[in-house]
């Protein structure tokens, strides 16, 4: 799939947010500057707007590692593991020991081993066309047979 504008990225993000629920995990892969945090911003702001909540200024949690957002009866945990260098650092965060009532969105999940079974992986890649991104979505566990290309 190709996202040819910020508006298409916003629509894609909103569509993903419509199908996810508490307990879901989304892994975001891709180079710096490819749009991972932009995806998260649209995801969170859509859910905030839908719930009548003022939109947050969603930033990359590169230095804080995690930001959390309370949206209605759902908490979203947005992790950025870019600065972490080994699995020991990641395991100390207790990401998967926290409540299954949260939606977890994780940028730079490469070092996570083993990976949770029920998750959505989204790979963002730069395209040869300016402001266009290639996106590949793969579901695991309960998401294995979901038709993401129809979103």
């Amino acid at each position: 799939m190709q996202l040819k504008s910020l508006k298409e990225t916003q629509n894609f993000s909103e569509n993903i947010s419509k199908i996810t629920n508490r307990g879901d995990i989304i892994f975001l892969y891709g180079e710096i500057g490819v749009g991972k945090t932009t995806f998260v911003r649209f995801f969170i702001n859509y859910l905030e707007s839908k719930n009548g909540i003022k939109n947050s200024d969603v930033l990359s949690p590169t230095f804080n590692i995690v930001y959390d957002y309370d949206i209605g009866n759902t908490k979203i945990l947005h992790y950025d593991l870019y600065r972490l260098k080994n699995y020991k650092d990641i395991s100390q965060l207790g990401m998967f020991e926290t409540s299954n009532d949260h939606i977890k969105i994780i940028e730079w999940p490469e070092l996570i081993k083993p990976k949770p079974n029920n998750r959505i992986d989204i790979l963002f890649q730069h395209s040869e066309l300016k402001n266009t991104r290639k996106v590949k979505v793969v579901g695991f566990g309960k998401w294995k047979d979901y038709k993401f290309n129809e979103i």
Side-chain angles (χ1 to χ4, degrees):
M1 144 184 352
Q2 291 221 350
L3 303 174
K4 298 177 184 172
S5 67
L6 275 177
K7 184 64 179 164
E8 287 188 10
T9 301
Q10 181 178 11
N11 291 339
F12 169 68
S13 178
E14 290 175 2
N15 288 337
I16 293 289
S17 74
K18 290 174 185 175
I19 64 168
T20 54
N21 294 299
R22 293 183 305 197
D24 287 334
I25 299 169
I26 301 172
F27 282 179
L28 302 178
Y29 295 89
E31 301 173 3
I32 290 175
V34 78
K36 296 180 301 293
T37 302
T38 300
F39 168 88
V40 177
R41 181 177 306 116
F42 288 138
F43 185 101
I44 290 171
N45 288 165
Y46 171 76
L47 291 175
E48 288 172 330
S49 294
K50 184 176 160 189
N51 284 276
I53 300 170
K54 181 180 180 264
N55 283 1
S56 299
D57 188 15
V58 177
L59 304 171
S60 175
T62 301
F63 294 102
N64 292 345
I65 299 176
V66 64
Y67 286 134
D68 61 86
Y69 302 87
D70 289 308
I71 303 172
N73 61 355
T74 302
K75 181 178 280 222
I76 297 177
L77 299 173
H78 175 206
Y79 293 89
D80 185 325
L81 307 181
Y82 179 74
R83 292 184 353 179
L84 302 182
K85 300 301 177 206
N86 59 59
Y87 182 72
K88 182 181 176 190
D89 293 341
I90 292 169
S91 65
Q92 292 175 347
L93 293 174
M95 281 189 295
F96 304 113
E97 286 81 43
T98 60
S99 172
N100 286 333
D101 287 342
H102 307 327
I103 295 173
K104 296 174 183 107
I105 305 174
I106 304 166
E107 297 185 43
W108 303 97
E110 286 82 354
L111 292 176
I112 295 174
K113 304 265 191 271
K115 300 203 184 315
N117 187 40
N118 292 312
R119 70 180 193 281
I120 299 170
D121 286 6
I122 304 175
L123 170 63
F124 292 88
Q125 295 178 302
H126 289 285
S127 172
E128 46 288 337
L129 302 172
K130 186 178 180 182
N131 297 323
T132 299
R133 302 296 189 258
K134 296 177 189 174
V135 178
K136 180 179 180 183
V137 185
V138 179
F140 295 89
K142 74 176 190 176
W143 295 103
K144 183 177 181 269
D145 296 321
Y146 195 86
K147 305 280 190 245
F148 291 104
N149 58 342
E150 295 175 8
I151 294 181

